[in-house]
């Protein structure tokens, strides 16, 4: 799904009509036929549900922690199969290109993630809060949705390339979302339900660098993007990315990118003049 269509989101696209809702269905009122007029990301919080196609054939049973994608234009029937009913949270949205042509990310309902560490549900609830606030908070909702789609896409790509990453994915996601933070290896290991030594050994076997070096490289990659934008000075980028010492930042930048931070910014600024 999203992993195969991520290139659509890297262009000049617009995400519009963002809505969010938490749904609570009692078991006796849970048989629903739906024809989607917008995309939906849906996270099952509790209970189970069966999903059926237009021919009445069951194609999936969703359980707590499942994240499903329902593309615009899809039609299906869904019914609760747990006595206590269901609770879930859904994010609705539409995507258009610069010509206002709607982009289709998939053609059928499918599972896109397992929310084993509640990363997706927490993100979706935060997005719901922004939507309910309205006003300028809608900008935060849009930013969060872009990040959510990116996370789902990159997670799937990584998992397809190397399924063994599943066990340390919570730590990778935390590092991506907290580039400016000081890492606690103990905390990362706890996220992955491992001892510190097991986590460090498994991370090293997958990436050939320690979690600390991996996080540093991520910070420097983001720093390079900011410098290449031409909008920030070296000092501003160092501060934004959590480097309290500009000299240290410049040395690390040179070590891992092969050029000095100041050279990177001057080169980009020269290229964008006129």
């Amino acid at each position: 799904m999203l992993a195969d269509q991520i290139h659509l989101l890297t262009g000049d696209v617009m995400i519009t009509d963002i809505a969010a809702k938490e749904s609570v269905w009692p078991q006796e009122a849970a048989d629903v036929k739906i024809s989607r007029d917008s995309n939906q990301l849906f996270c099952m919080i509790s209970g189970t549900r069966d999903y059926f196609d237009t021919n009445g054939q069951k194609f999936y049973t969703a359980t707590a922690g499942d994240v499903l994608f329902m593309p615009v234009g899809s039609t299906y029937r869904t019914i609760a199969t747990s006595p206590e009913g269901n609770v879930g949270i859904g994010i609705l949205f539409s995507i258009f290109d610069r010509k206002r042509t709607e982009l289709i990310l998939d053609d059928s309902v499918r599972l896109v993630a397992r929310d084993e560490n509640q990363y997706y549900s927490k993100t979706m609830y935060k997005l719901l809060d922004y939507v309910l606030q309205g006003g300028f908070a809608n900008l935060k909702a849009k930013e969060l949705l872009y990040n959510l789609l990116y996370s789902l896409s990159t997670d799937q790509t990584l998992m397809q390339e190397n399924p063994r990453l599943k066990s340390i994915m919570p730590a990778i996601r935390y590092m991506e979302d907290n580039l400016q933070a000081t890492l606690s290896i103990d905390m990362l290991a706890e996220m992955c339900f491992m001892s510190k030594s097991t986590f460090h050994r498994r991370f090293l076997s997958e990436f050939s660098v320690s979690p600390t070096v991996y996080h540093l490289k991520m910070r420097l990659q983001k720093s390079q993007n900011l410098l290449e934008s031409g909008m920030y000075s070296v000092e501003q980028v160092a501060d934004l990315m959590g480097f309290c010492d500009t000299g240290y930042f410049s040395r690390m930048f040179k070590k891992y990118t092969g050029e000095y931070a100041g050279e990177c910014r001057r080169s980009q600024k020269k290229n964008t003049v006129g």
Side-chain angles (χ1 to χ4, degrees):
M1 191 276 287
L2 294 173
D4 298 325
Q5 301 298 332
I6 186 62
H7 66 280
L8 294 177
L9 304 178
T10 60
D12 188 8
V13 301
M14 297 176 290
I15 294 182
T16 66
D17 306 318
I18 300 174
K21 61 180 180 180
E22 182 183 41
S23 299
V24 180
W25 303 277
Q27 196 278 335
E28 63 271 14
D31 189 349
V32 183
K33 182 177 180 180
I34 299 174
S35 296
R36 299 239 67 93
D37 57 7
S38 63
N39 299 296
Q40 178 178 241
L41 281 172
F42 177 78
C43 183
M44 181 73 77
I45 304 301
S46 66
T48 58
R49 298 184 69 81
D50 285 344
Y51 286 83
F52 302 83
D53 62 23
T54 54
N55 296 318
Q57 297 295 312
K58 185 174 75 172
F59 62 85
Y60 192 70
T61 297
T63 61
D66 282 352
V67 181
L68 305 176
F69 179 69
M70 291 86 165
V72 60
S74 60
T75 299
Y76 54 92
R77 186 169 66 90
T78 178
I79 185 170
T81 53
S82 50
E84 70 276 15
N86 297 131
V87 177
I89 181 167
I91 308 298
L92 308 172
F93 61 97
S94 299
I95 298 181
F96 298 88
D97 64 17
R98 62 189 306 173
K99 296 180 180 179
R100 296 292 298 180
T101 300
E102 189 164 18
L103 301 177
I104 307 300
L105 298 181
D106 209 340
D107 57 4
S108 60
V109 178
R110 67 185 66 211
L111 177 74
V112 293
R114 281 286 304 165
D115 195 26
E116 296 177 346
N117 294 276
Q118 298 186 325
Y119 170 80
Y120 292 114
S121 59
K122 289 179 179 178
T123 301
M124 292 167 78
Y125 274 116
K126 185 182 296 185
L127 199 155
L128 172 62
D129 286 341
Y130 288 140
V131 169
L132 293 177
Q133 290 176 41
F136 287 116
N138 286 328
L139 296 175
K140 295 296 293 183
K142 182 172 290 191
E143 177 189 19
L144 203 57
L145 181 53
Y146 272 106
N147 291 338
L148 185 62
L149 292 171
Y150 175 79
S151 296
L152 285 165
S153 302
T154 53
D155 282 359
Q156 289 182 76
T157 300
L158 286 172
M159 290 294 294
Q160 289 170 5
E161 293 175 351
N162 186 354
R164 293 179 302 176
L165 287 177
K166 181 178 180 180
S167 62
I168 58 174
M169 188 60 70
I172 297 172
R173 178 59 56 229
Y174 179 85
M175 286 189 275
E176 289 177 346
D177 290 344
N178 297 274
L179 292 179
Q180 301 91 341
T182 300
L183 285 185
S184 165
I185 304 302
D186 288 328
M187 181 183 68
L188 295 177
E190 185 177 345
M191 287 179 181
C192 301
F193 304 100
M194 299 178 188
S195 67
K196 182 178 178 180
S197 59
T198 298
F199 170 74
H200 192 278
R201 183 171 61 253
R202 189 164 301 178
F203 199 99
L204 193 63
S205 70
E206 297 299 337
F207 294 105
S208 300
V209 295
S210 69
T212 302
V213 172
Y214 182 88
H215 188 238
L216 175 60
K217 287 184 174 181
M218 293 171 70
R219 295 168 69 196
L220 293 171
Q221 179 61 61
K222 178 64 175 180
S223 298
Q224 187 173 25
N225 294 339
L226 292 174
L227 288 169
E228 289 177 348
S229 74
M231 298 175 62
Y232 304 93
S233 68
V234 174
E235 292 76 14
Q236 287 172 322
V237 171
D239 183 60
L240 284 170
M241 298 311 300
F243 293 94
C244 58
D245 185 299
T246 303
Y248 173 75
F249 166 69
S250 296
R251 290 193 299 274
M252 292 299 101
F253 193 91
K254 169 67 173 177
K255 179 178 179 180
Y256 286 102
T257 69
E259 64 178 334
Y260 290 107
E263 293 175 346
C264 176
R265 186 179 186 278
R266 284 193 295 272
S267 174
Q268 184 61 25
K269 187 174 182 179
K270 180 179 179 180
N271 291 336
T272 56
V273 169

